[in-house]
Amino acid sequence: MSVELDVFVGNTTIMDKEVYQLWLNGYTVNDAVKVRIEGGVMEECEASAEVLLSDTMDQYRTFQMCERLLHHPAKLANQLLFQIPPDRQAMLIERYALACQFNSLDLVIIQFQTFICISLFRYYAFDDSFVREVLGKKLSKGTKKDLDDVSIKTGITLKSCRRQFDNFKRVFKVVEELKGPLVENIRQHFLLPDQLARDYAAIVFFANHRFETGKKKLQYLTFQDFAFCAGQLINNWTVGAVDNMMEDMDVDLDKEFLQDLKDLKILITDKDLLDQHKNLVCTALRGKTNVFNEMEANFKNLSRGLVNIAAKLINAKDVRDFFIDLVEKFIEPCRSDKLTSIDVNLYLTHYTNSAHILDTFKHHAVWTRYMGVIKSCILRMYHD
Amino acid sequence: MPGRLKAKIVAGRHLPVMDRASDLTDAFVEVKFGNTTFKTDVYPKSLNPQWNSEWFKFEVDDEDLQDEPLQITVLDHDTYSANDAIGKVYIDIDPLLCSEAATVISGWLPIYDTIHGIRGEINVLVKVDLFNDLNRFRQSSCGVKFFCTTSIPRCYRAIMVHGFVEELVVNEDPEYQWIDRIRTPRASNEARQRLIFLMSGELQRKIGLKVLEMGGNAVVGYLQCFDLEGESGLVVRAIGTACTLEKISTFPATATHPNNSSPSKDMKEPGFGEEAPGVPLSSGPPTPLRAQTFSSFSPSKSYSRQSSSSDTELSLTPKTGMGSGGSAGKEAGPLKALLKQQTQSALEQREYPFFTLTIFPPGFLLHVGGVVSARSVKLLDRIHNPDEPETRDAWWEEIRQEIKSHAKALGCHAVVGYSESTSICEEVCILSASGTAAILSSRFMQDGPLDTEHRLSQQPLCVFSAGSERVEGDMGSSASLGFEEVVSPGCGFCHIPYDELNIPFPAQLTYCYCCRRYKVPDVLFTTIDLPTEANVTGKGCLIQARLCRTKKKAQGEGNAMAISNLLPFLEYELHTQLMNKLKLRGMNALFGLRIQISVGETMLLGLASATGVYLTALPSPGGIQIAGKTPSDITYEQHISNMQKKINDTITKNKEQYEINPPEVVEEIIGSPIPEPRQRSRLFRSHSESSDEVSEIDLSHGKKDAFVLEIDDTDAVEDIHALLTDSPTPAGFYSCNTEIMPGIQNWTSAIQMFTSVRVFRLNANLTNQGLNKIFSDLCENLLKSLYFKLRSMVPCCLCHLNFTVAIPEDELIQVAVTAVAMSFDKEQTLENGKRSGEKTLIKAITENDEQLQFNLELNAESSSPNPLGSPKAPSVDYSSFADRCSSWIEQLKLKAHTIRRGSVKTTSSMEKASPLPEGRSRSLRSNRSYSGSSVAVVKMTPLSFIPGAKIIKYLGIINMFFIRETSSLREEGGVSGFLHTFIAEVFAMVRAHVAALGGNAVVSYSMKECVFMENPNKNQAQCLINVSGDAVIFVRESELELTSVQPQSATTQTSNGGEGT
């Protein structure tokens, strides 16, 4: 004796938010039922475990049907298969709509959109701990195969890992060939909220350049740290950053700029220039910090480090090591000298500005463009 | 050549990828009607083709217009091999043929393939030009309106109710033709779909002809069914009630409301009405109008008789005698004679005093006798000549005759709430018909007094002017007419129509508890809805009797015999169960009774569903008394008293739950014709002495005799068990299978229609009891699941809970439920408060966008904590959601303005109006800008109304038939995944077609067929679904109020407005 078939279809699709999250988190039906039982929904509604199981399976099926649409969010808006109810919880939109004198038709549209918004967010949302594991890795089948390790390490179910990974891959595939600003493209194609779109842009950017993020020395950095840095790089170092021409792409770094960076080497190769630079910085710093001596002693070392990073960026291979280089060549020395982030900020500000005063140094534009990003990245990364 | 059908193919979207190499599709469209086919150009390499075709014109007979669907096929062009079909759209153009329904079909319709399901959508425009002389063509019946609704549709007024119409057509089932062995499943499914479309078209046309012959202009309560007889063929049959309807023209909002239809439509309507002769649309005194109708239309004998009718004194109708009490017997004699006469006439034999209506305008239904039903078991044989479906006709005639004679035995001249159904297993077919014997008002009848009764069937029965509007004082006027003196409308229908001294079945009669004048029975079973004017104490609830009986496998004649022998027992037991459950709930009447008997190879299933209520006019039901046979045994005695206590407790609890507190009345002793009750009461008393718990209950149950269950036989134990296993509905829920629930009025606008299907596999070798328990649990669990699913709607009532059982194969039981959950406010004031609040908000509007946006962000900020709080909460910053929404809302607002300016059919017009940026770039802006408007909400409900809203227009009948098949069952999520998707697709297609007609809701929706077959070993499954309903446009009452209060804001209202759920 068994239930062979059990379906429930409403004219308006009923979606339980709690179950949706469980599904997203990759719980099996049985595990989800357990969680729900613990949540006390049974006592609340005089239901039995059987009823709960039936409901959960039904919800999971609905989500699976929805999933196909969620992969192409642009289709979601005018799909006909699901008549999705206004989210009763989204009262704020309703109140807003009333206040706007929207008549009920508009209300429906807005509520519908809200619902889509929310389900999309949830679907495309990811776990920081997961993304930290795959950040900078090639979004390939090989990486996907290793997801079970990631799953064990992070404690996130394999199903959920796969969904998140597939989301990254899907977004990557779509925007890879698109022209125009990266974040905007993601926002429009996947109807994602701004912040989430930025995060995806960072993931795509990291995956494209295969930045190394997994080394032990980088473990202390969070995804948000990297996402911030990626934002800086996208906004300043890509082709799209300088001239906002439509045909340019946001995903790749500006080759010309990278080429020009080689010219900065003069700051460390020219002995006079190096000394002059050091003097200017030291003069400016003197008396403003209590780690002045360490800064003075380390100046040449640090400067060499930063300029060498710049000079190497023309090689794609070295681009990958950008973050590890920053940590090894700058952050670690500073940290061992016990510089506070205020000290670092002070140092970098004067280091950048002083170069402009050097008479023989001509590459001001490149220097500003380079140091602006380096400074904000280092400051973001300078924590425990 | 009285009609020109025009179709235009505008665009497609979301098409599937047909060319793997390019990930694109080269789509073109074939438009076919009858034998004519047109093609569009190929739109190369796009998943969103813009064909923008010319108007394809088909010049056709109106007969074909009624029979044939417009068939649109989307194909992928292939230079080297055959073109691949993407999918099809069948468009029923019947709604366009009626002047008062839709004028254009325009919108996005899902492209459907029987193997792949929905594959994208197509935007089409369809129009029909009819020529004015259409009514001279005898073979067509254009202009006759069809309604699934089993009451006089809102916004119409009934001028006349003519009576029963029926028709059936038969054909060979393409699935069983020899050619099916060589063609693909797709071709076979499509042949079937098309055939059924054709057959229903033909059926509707033929019924329309009958209606025109009778002088009517509409069919109400139209019920069309399919019998898939397998080898022996396919039968499509329909019944309905012919009426002459008149549109209530004084509807206040039609004029002021700008959106109920496009202006051109509005102009067309009255014109058309006048142009169609013989369709009496114009208002005026009904009598001359009717005469006119008949003289112009009546070739048949019955009409000539009718037209010779003269005005007669109303008080002379036999019903007058009826009303004065106890004299019904006098009429019985002549009535019988007349009915006999009637049956002798071959012509008249075809006509029956049956009505498929279940809700009646006040004053129409005078007395209700009780449920009448008839069943017969038939052996199917191949239908040899599809043009003369005589056998099937004869079968149904037999049954209808039986029903008629049953009604007669109850002293009734009519059968209301009439329906017919079949159950087929292999070559055995059970035909069932049931209805409620009743006496209807004859107060506007013009025939001679004696003629009246036996002519009810074929002649206009009465004229009343109620429509959906409840006419106050209607009964008062009837009283003044002198034939139901001072009968309150709340109890009149309960008064017995039969002769007290000659009761056809054992019943206990008492004087009516309302008026104390007339006799009423102790319980009343009916198939109709609860009359709105009925006096009811407390609330009602769904009552089900469920029964399973095993049967030996047999063949042919023997099998039919075995089933015939089992049927009476099955019915008896169902009846007993219903009675027990009714008493357990402390109620005394059943409405909407529907008994379904389903036959399988090794078992018979019986499911009776009804809504129990406590009619104030009827006596309070006695309790249930358990009596043991061996009272000497102490443990046994204890066991019995325990059970008795349980039962009594349940009754008390139920009375509380359903708020049944009938006013105490002094019992009047009436000489009961049956001596048995006295004995019962004795038993009851003797028992109450032995158990002290009972004595307490004794009072609450009044002095009525208890219903005695003797526990010595196993059946009784089983019955008691079944009684007690019914779990109570959870708090906040009510359920009924009728349209409305007594005692609940303040519905909110939140409605949720749903379909739930379960299939249960049984173990072999189960006993009857085991089977019963399983079946009962299956239904109970299904209900529990529904309550759980819909918990967010509490307080709510599941209305029109319609269970359908089937035995798809041996050891499988299938239960399908379609119903609507409607939530209501606990207190009336709440709703009022909310509405006025809404109004003030709308009044206090500000057009300052910036300020508004600011508002939103504020709100969002304050109320956007991560709603989950789980440790693995996603890293999305939810506050940014506000940005997103605000930009959306900006867009939407813009769009909203466009909508207001544009027409109602936002979808198509919007899409067409805006320049299509397809070629520009892959930018999605254009796509997104459509997003909101293209998904208009279409409500669906099995009820004939939408709470809090007014139906302002009926757009035509929706009658769709789909087949879905798969040979990759596992990949589609197993049987559940497959059926879930299919049902969702069916809903989507119904919604899309309604939206294309310009409607925003389907009322009286029902899923009449859901035949599911699977073969998991082969990874295959097939399902057939047939749905129907009435497409309508409704307007919220709050909006109506607004329009009247603030005419300037009327421009911002759209009829598409529905608040979501």
Side-chain angles (χ1 to χ4, degrees):
Chain A
M1 271 164 289
S2 57
V3 176
E4 184 112 340
L5 180 158
D6 177 9
V7 297
F8 175 98
V9 191
N11 182 36
T12 44
T13 307
I14 299 178
M15 287 192 183
D16 186 310
K17 277 202 205 123
E18 187 205 357
V19 186
Y20 185 54
Q21 192 58 51
L22 292 171
W23 176 72
L24 287 178
N25 289 351
Y27 282 68
T28 60
V29 173
N30 286 330
D31 289 346
V33 170
K34 268 181 220 149
V35 173
R36 295 183 80 186
I37 290 175
E38 282 159 21
V41 72
M42 258 173 30
E43 290 76 40
E44 239 171 75
C45 317
E46 310 170 33
S48 65
E50 212 178 317
V51 167
L52 217 55
L53 177 69
S54 149
D55 179 61
T56 311
M57 291 213 289
D58 202 68
Q59 291 280 330
Y60 268 49
R61 252 198 323 272
T62 310
F63 302 145
Q64 273 153 23
M65 283 163 69
C66 262
E67 194 170 17
R68 272 171 259 161
L69 291 165
L70 289 169
H71 290 174
H72 308 280
K75 275 189 194 171
L76 249 183
N78 47 22
Q79 58 87 25
L80 301 176
L81 192 55
F82 299 99
Q83 183 156 273
I84 294 174
D87 190 1
R88 279 189 204 85
Q89 263 69 55
M91 287 300 285
L92 84 107
I93 300 295
E94 198 173 347
R95 262 186 277 128
Y96 169 71
L98 275 173
C100 297
Q101 198 211 0
F102 277 16
N103 62 33
S104 42
L105 169 69
D106 307 333
L107 205 69
V108 170
I109 297 169
I110 289 163
Q111 287 170 333
F112 180 76
Q113 296 290 3
T114 317
F115 189 89
I116 290 179
C117 268
I118 290 171
S119 43
L120 267 177
F121 294 178
R122 295 270 181 82
Y123 191 76
Y124 280 91
F126 49 79
D127 294 298
D128 274 1
S129 56
F130 170 77
V131 71
R132 192 61 192 77
E133 292 297 318
V134 295
L135 194 64
K137 286 193 182 140
K138 201 173 168 189
L139 298 174
S140 64
K141 279 202 181 117
T143 317
K144 197 175 174 182
K145 267 182 203 155
D146 300 335
L147 286 183
D148 27 1
D149 294 337
V150 179
S151 163
I152 292 162
K153 197 171 163 193
T154 55
I156 298 163
T157 57
L158 185 59
K159 256 191 195 164
S160 178
C161 288
R162 290 212 175 117
R163 172 182 58 84
Q164 298 181 33
F165 184 82
D166 287 340
N167 284 343
F168 298 160
K169 208 170 152 182
R170 191 177 317 110
V171 173
F172 184 84
K173 254 189 103 173
V174 168
V175 296
E176 199 180 20
E177 293 161 19
L178 286 184
K179 288 153 187 170
L182 185 61
V183 178
E184 193 51 29
N185 278 339
I186 293 173
R187 250 166 61 154
Q188 287 193 1
H189 271 85
F190 293 93
L191 310 179
L192 295 178
D194 195 54
Q195 184 56 49
L196 196 53
R198 279 176 204 288
D199 287 349
Y200 267 94
I203 293 164
V204 167
F205 190 74
F206 266 67
N208 191 41
H209 293 283
R210 313 261 302 277
F211 285 112
E212 176 60 66
T213 64
K215 284 268 162 60
K216 212 177 164 211
K217 279 176 182 164
L218 295 176
Q219 282 309 316
Y220 78 99
L221 292 168
T222 65
F223 167 68
Q224 284 307 327
D225 293 335
F226 285 119
F228 174 83
C229 297
Q232 291 294 317
L233 264 63
I234 292 167
N235 288 335
N236 297 298
W237 288 1
T238 55
V239 193
V242 268
D243 44 359
N244 271 325
M245 302 239 305
M246 285 303 274
E247 50 282 9
D248 289 328
M249 298 211 271
D250 249 2
V251 197
D252 293 318
L253 293 175
D254 184 351
K255 279 264 148 54
E256 246 174 77
F257 166 68
L258 297 182
Q259 194 69 43
D260 293 343
L261 281 178
K262 281 211 270 191
D263 301 338
L264 298 180
K265 264 205 137 161
I266 194 163
L267 282 174
I268 48 170
T269 46
D270 187 324
K271 194 124 187 3
D272 289 346
L273 213 55
L274 184 62
D275 285 335
Q276 217 180 329
H277 195 185
K278 182 183 174 182
N279 285 337
L280 280 169
V281 174
C282 287
T283 322
L285 283 174
R286 196 184 304 273
K288 286 186 184 156
T289 168
N290 40 16
V291 285
F292 175 73
N293 291 334
E294 286 88 342
M295 281 186 185
E296 192 179 19
N298 253 337
F299 179 84
K300 283 187 185 167
N301 223 354
L302 293 176
S303 186
R304 260 189 219 115
L306 290 182
V307 174
N308 275 330
I309 293 174
K312 281 200 305 183
L313 281 178
I314 189 68
N315 306 319
K317 235 183 157 186
D318 291 307
V319 171
R320 286 185 201 174
D321 292 331
F322 179 68
F323 292 100
I324 189 93
D325 285 344
L326 279 186
V327 170
E328 281 176 352
K329 301 279 157 52
F330 192 88
I331 292 171
E332 280 183 347
C334 290
R335 210 180 269 152
S336 64
D337 289 340
K338 303 215 162 44
L339 267 69
T340 63
S341 57
I342 300 161
D343 297 329
V344 174
N345 187 10
L346 199 66
Y347 174 80
L348 285 173
T349 311
H350 290 294
Y351 177 72
T352 313
N353 294 343
S354 310
H356 292 298
I357 313 169
L358 300 168
D359 349 312
T360 45
F361 184 67
K362 302 278 184 258
H363 313 284
H364 296 299
V366 175
W367 180 248
T368 314
R369 192 174 171 192
Y370 176 69
M371 278 313 290
V373 171
I374 291 294
K375 188 182 151 193
S376 36
C377 285
I378 288 176
L379 286 176
R380 174 78 195 210
M381 292 161 72
Y382 200 77
H383 63 79
D384 296 324
Chain B
M1 201 278 296
R4 185 191 290 130
L5 170 70
K6 297 189 295 178
K8 184 183 170 87
I9 308 297
V10 183
R13 70 180 182 199
H14 307 339
L15 294 189
V17 169
M18 296 302 281
D19 180 4
R20 285 267 153 248
S22 65
D23 268 4
L24 289 166
T25 297
D26 305 318
F28 70 100
V29 181
E30 272 181 16
V31 187
K32 190 177 172 197
F33 190 83
N35 294 320
T36 320
T37 308
F38 291 103
K39 279 184 195 173
T40 66
D41 297 332
V42 175
Y43 193 91
K45 302 208 185 312
S46 172
L47 299 182
N48 300 292
Q50 307 292 323
W51 292 289
N52 250 320
S53 78
E54 56 186 304
W55 283 97
F56 299 123
K57 296 186 182 99
F58 302 89
E59 306 201 319
V60 277
D61 279 348
D62 49 356
E63 190 183 334
D64 288 338
L65 279 173
Q66 284 192 296
D67 287 5
E68 295 261 356
L70 179 68
Q71 184 180 316
I72 293 170
T73 314
V74 185
L75 298 116
D76 177 50
H77 175 76
D78 210 323
T79 324
Y80 303 108
S81 59
N83 298 327
D84 293 326
I86 295 172
K88 282 194 158 114
V89 183
Y90 291 100
I91 300 177
D92 180 8
I93 46 171
D94 215 52
L96 298 181
L97 303 180
C98 180
S99 54
E100 279 170 48
T103 50
V104 64
I105 294 172
S106 159
W108 288 102
L109 300 173
I111 302 165
Y112 182 74
D113 178 68
T114 59
I115 307 291
H116 294 103
I118 291 179
R119 305 174 95 189
E121 289 115 41
I122 187 166
N123 194 340
V124 293
L125 266 167
V126 183
K127 282 184 182 173
V128 172
D129 295 333
L130 278 179
F131 300 122
N132 293 339
D133 58 351
L134 72 113
N135 270 299
R136 289 197 200 133
F137 288 80
R138 304 214 47 92
Q139 286 311 301
S140 78
S141 54
C142 292
V144 174
K145 295 181 281 292
F146 284 79
F147 300 92
C148 293
T149 304
T150 56
S151 56
I152 300 304
R154 323 250 148 169
C155 83
Y156 281 97
R157 179 174 21 232
I159 304 286
M160 256 173 263
V161 177
H162 301 276
F164 190 62
V165 279
E166 49 77 32
E167 186 63 81
L168 65 80
V169 290
V170 295
N171 211 318
E172 262 186 282
D173 191 339
E175 184 109 329
Y176 294 89
Q177 282 164 350
W178 67 269
I179 196 166
D180 203 57
R181 298 203 189 123
I182 50 168
R183 65 180 164 192
T184 62
R186 176 183 281 121
S188 163
N189 291 340
E190 277 169 8
R192 235 172 154 194
Q193 279 190 173
R194 201 181 123 73
L195 177 71
I196 289 183
F197 252 110
L198 276 168
M199 286 169 78
S200 8
E202 185 191 340
L203 193 69
Q204 225 169 304
R205 174 173 58 82
K206 285 186 169 169
I207 287 209
L209 275 173
K210 288 193 175 178
V211 173
L212 288 176
E213 262 176 37
M214 291 170 106
N217 65 359
V219 181
V220 178
Y222 185 68
L223 176 74
Q224 185 194 287
C225 294
F226 298 98
D227 297 331
L228 300 168
E229 294 183 352
E231 289 285 345
S232 53
L234 185 70
V235 176
V236 186
R237 57 192 163 78
I239 54 175
T241 306
C243 294
T244 303
L245 298 183
E246 181 194 66
K247 192 152 192 196
I248 300 168
S249 49
T250 50
F251 182 63
T254 5
T256 54
H257 212 281
N259 307 302
N260 59 337
S261 58
S262 60
S264 65
K265 204 195 281 181
D266 271 342
M267 284 190 289
K268 196 173 168 187
E269 260 167 48
F272 235 98
E274 281 154 16
E275 278 158 17
V279 185
L281 288 167
S282 52
S283 53
T287 321
L289 192 120
R290 187 178 55 172
Q292 213 176 39
T293 314
F294 282 117
S295 53
S296 63
F297 256 104
S298 49
S300 84
K301 282 161 214 158
S302 58
Y303 297 126
S304 44
R305 254 218 269 173
Q306 160 61 29
S307 49
S308 70
S309 67
S310 60
D311 287 53
T312 324
E313 211 27 65
L314 291 166
S315 56
L316 285 178
T317 59
K319 285 296 99 22
T320 326
M322 209 60 228
S324 58
S327 59
K330 286 175 212 158
E331 267 76 39
L335 175 63
K336 261 177 209 162
L338 281 167
L339 284 168
K340 248 178 222 156
Q341 261 178 26
Q342 186 188 16
T343 47
Q344 279 158 4
S345 153
L347 178 95
E348 284 175 14
Q349 212 163 30
R350 297 173 59 85
E351 256 120 356
Y352 301 92
F354 297 167
F355 299 86
T356 53
L357 301 176
T358 61
I359 301 171
F360 306 89
F364 185 35
L365 188 68
L366 293 186
H367 304 292
V368 170
V371 170
V372 284
S373 74
R375 283 175 215 286
S376 93
V377 183
K378 297 286 181 194
L379 274 180
L380 297 173
D381 52 347
R382 191 171 271 282
I383 300 166
H384 296 291
N385 185 1
D387 294 329
E388 284 174 35
E390 279 154 347
T391 353
R392 303 296 182 277
D393 264 339
W395 288 354
W396 286 112
E397 240 161 75
E398 229 170 71
I399 290 211
R400 289 174 193 140
Q401 284 302 336
E402 204 177 325
I403 291 273
K404 200 156 87 174
S405 68
H406 284 331
K408 197 172 63 187
L410 282 171
C412 294
H413 62 218
V415 176
V416 294
Y418 180 74
S419 68
E420 295 175 346
S421 64
T422 57
S423 169
I424 297 168
C425 174
E426 303 289 318
E427 71 222 311
V428 176
C429 174
I430 302 182
L431 310 180
S432 316
S434 71
T436 306
I439 290 182
L440 300 173
S441 162
S442 50
R443 84 191 123 108
F444 289 97
M445 220 177 296
Q446 268 112 46
D447 300 74
L450 279 177
D451 263 3
T452 345
E453 299 235 26
H454 87 276
R455 293 248 243 103
L456 275 167
S457 55
Q458 67 273 56
Q459 272 147 35
L461 187 67
C462 71
V463 179
F464 49 83
S465 56
S468 65
E469 259 56 43
R470 212 176 134 176
V471 178
E472 258 91 16
D474 205 58
M475 279 319 283
S477 68
S478 83
S480 69
L481 283 163
F483 75 100
E484 274 283 329
E485 338 147 19
V486 226
V487 169
S488 88
C491 66
F493 74 95
C494 308
H495 303 159
I496 53 159
Y498 37 83
D499 180 8
E500 192 187 337
L501 300 166
N502 196 11
I503 309 182
F505 51 86
Q508 251 181 296
L509 302 180
T510 46
Y511 277 110
C512 172
Y513 278 61
C514 281
C515 64
R516 305 245 145 234
R517 272 165 186 276
Y518 306 104
K519 298 282 177 69
V520 293
D522 51 350
V523 286
L524 188 61
F525 284 14
T526 72
T527 57
I528 55 168
D529 251 77
L530 185 67
T532 40
E533 68 272 17
N535 290 337
V536 175
T537 305
K539 298 202 165 67
C541 76
L542 179 78
I543 292 177
Q544 281 192 323
R546 304 141 185 156
L547 206 61
C548 240
R549 281 287 169 267
T550 51
K551 153 186 114 58
K552 285 215 174 69
K553 252 188 197 170
Q555 294 290 316
E557 206 80 38
N559 195 20
M561 202 56 138
I563 294 169
S564 301
N565 289 341
L566 267 172
L567 278 179
F569 294 101
L570 211 65
E571 291 210 54
Y572 173 77
E573 281 183 51
L574 283 172
H575 185 268
T576 316
Q577 239 187 71
L578 278 178
M579 194 65 109
N580 286 341
K581 290 191 178 184
L582 185 68
K583 294 203 180 278
L584 193 71
R585 286 169 178 80
M587 297 171 181
N588 58 17
L590 286 179
F591 287 89
L593 177 64
R594 191 164 161 265
I595 300 176
Q596 228 199 319
I597 301 223
S598 204
V599 59
E601 248 177 86
T602 57
M603 63 178 155
L604 281 174
L605 273 184
L607 179 69
S609 312
T611 302
V613 293
Y614 186 102
L615 284 178
T616 320
L618 264 49
S620 159
I624 297 170
Q625 179 69 39
I626 299 171
K629 254 199 177 160
T630 46
S632 52
D633 191 345
I634 295 168
T635 49
Y636 189 66
E637 190 83 350
Q638 209 150 26
H639 174 65
I640 289 180
S641 73
N642 269 342
M643 248 199 251
Q644 182 69 58
K645 185 176 180 310
K646 256 193 208 162
I647 288 179
N648 291 337
D649 287 350
T650 319
I651 294 179
T652 324
K653 229 173 31 196
N654 280 332
K655 282 192 170 182
E656 250 167 62
Q657 186 180 356
Y658 302 115
E659 297 159 29
I660 298 169
N661 315 299
E664 276 300 313
V665 269
V666 189
E667 183 83 11
E668 281 169 62
I669 311 298
I670 309 162
S672 164
I674 310 151
E676 219 219 349
R678 220 176 296 148
Q679 202 189 338
R680 279 190 198 162
S681 64
R682 190 179 55 77
L683 265 169
F684 180 73
R685 242 170 270 128
S686 73
H687 197 99
S688 63
E689 279 152 24
S690 67
S691 150
D692 39 356
E693 285 94 3
V694 186
S695 60
E696 187 191 298
I697 306 302
D698 205 344
L699 289 167
S700 65
H701 294 166
K703 301 96 211 157
K704 293 305 311 166
D705 303 295
F707 196 79
V708 183
L709 281 174
E710 290 209 339
I711 202 164
D712 57 317
D713 58 30
T714 43
D715 274 2
V717 175
E718 196 188 310
D719 283 342
I720 292 165
H721 204 81
L723 271 179
L724 295 172
T725 47
D726 272 12
S727 48
T729 45
F733 276 104
Y734 289 98
S735 58
C736 61
N737 74 337
T738 47
E739 289 241 323
I740 45 154
M741 172 64 112
I744 302 176
Q745 271 99 38
N746 34 333
W747 303 108
T748 65
S749 60
I751 63 168
Q752 165 73 298
M753 189 282 296
F754 58 85
T755 291
S756 185
V757 183
R758 274 190 191 186
V759 175
F760 204 80
R761 185 172 287 281
L762 304 166
N763 280 349
N765 304 324
L766 277 163
T767 58
N768 275 340
Q769 276 98 324
L771 272 174
N772 265 349
K773 171 124 182 37
I774 287 166
F775 182 41
S776 188
D777 286 350
L778 177 58
C779 295
E780 280 294 316
N781 287 337
L782 187 52
L783 279 171
K784 277 188 211 157
S785 273
L786 297 182
Y787 295 136
F788 181 74
K789 280 267 181 208
L790 301 160
R791 63 192 184 281
S792 63
M793 294 188 75
V794 163
C796 95
C797 178
L798 305 189
C799 294
H800 216 285
L801 265 170
N802 190 0
F803 276 68
T804 338
V805 290
I807 307 172
E809 55 186 270
D810 222 12
E811 289 167 13
L812 285 186
I813 299 181
Q814 177 188 318
V815 181
V817 187
T818 299
V820 63
M822 306 206 288
S823 53
F824 56 92
D825 279 328
K826 276 253 156 74
E827 284 152 60
Q828 192 80 48
T829 46
L830 252 169
E831 169 81 338
N832 288 344
K834 222 167 74 182
R835 200 178 290 166
S836 63
E838 219 169 277
K839 251 187 270 171
T840 47
L841 255 171
I842 289 173
K843 270 184 209 159
I845 37 102
T846 158
E847 283 293 343
N848 189 328
D849 282 4
E850 275 173 67
Q851 191 185 333
L852 290 172
Q853 198 167 333
F854 175 64
N855 270 348
L856 171 78
E857 271 162 9
L858 252 182
N859 283 342
E861 225 84 61
S862 61
S863 56
S864 61
N866 188 332
L868 282 156
S870 84
K872 279 174 200 144
S875 64
V876 192
D877 178 6
Y878 276 88
S879 67
S880 60
F881 167 49
D883 297 349
R884 192 73 206 145
C885 280
S886 64
S887 66
W888 241 320
I889 282 159
E890 288 294 285
Q891 280 192 17
L892 289 166
K893 273 202 73 167
L894 278 174
K895 204 154 38 245
H897 284 295
T898 359
I899 294 168
R900 280 178 206 135
R901 265 182 246 119
S903 84
V904 193
K905 281 153 224 132
T906 48
T907 337
S908 54
S909 53
M910 280 284 303
E911 298 270 11
K912 268 186 293 150
S914 40
L916 287 153
E918 184 55 30
R920 206 171 46 183
S921 72
R922 286 171 67 185
S923 151
L924 268 171
R925 255 186 207 281
S926 52
N927 249 345
R928 278 171 62 221
S929 69
Y930 295 141
S931 53
S933 62
S934 51
V935 190
V937 169
V938 174
K939 293 204 179 202
M940 290 165 80
T941 173
L943 308 182
S944 63
F945 67 97
I946 290 163
K950 201 155 193 138
I951 293 170
I952 55 166
K953 195 174 168 84
Y954 279 81
L955 297 166
I957 201 166
I958 294 281
N959 188 2
M960 296 171 98
F961 178 84
F962 299 104
I963 301 178
R964 180 85 149 79
E965 188 166 340
T966 184
S967 48
S968 52
L969 187 58
R970 269 187 298 277
E971 294 77 0
E972 292 191 36
V975 282
S976 295
F978 171 72
L979 193 63
H980 194 143
T981 316
F982 184 37
I983 294 176
E985 284 176 339
V986 169
F987 285 2
M989 287 185 277
V990 170
R991 286 194 301 257
H993 280 263
V994 170
L997 285 169
N1000 58 0
V1002 188
V1003 295
S1004 299
Y1005 167 83
S1006 72
M1007 181 179 281
K1008 284 189 292 211
E1009 209 79 56
C1010 177
V1011 185
F1012 179 77
M1013 285 160 290
E1014 55 164 329
N1015 190 343
N1017 298 331
K1018 283 188 178 169
N1019 206 17
Q1020 286 174 341
Q1022 192 195 36
C1023 187
L1024 292 79
I1025 287 183
N1026 174 221
V1027 295
S1028 65
D1030 295 327
V1032 299
I1033 301 176
F1034 72 87
V1035 201
R1036 294 239 152 264
E1037 259 156 26
S1038 54
E1039 284 172 25
L1040 282 178
E1041 275 168 42
L1042 270 179
T1043 34
S1044 53
V1045 174
Q1046 292 178 292
Q1048 74 274 21
S1049 77
T1051 44
T1052 65
Q1053 306 285 331
T1054 67
S1055 66
N1056 267 12
E1059 278 147 49
T1061 351

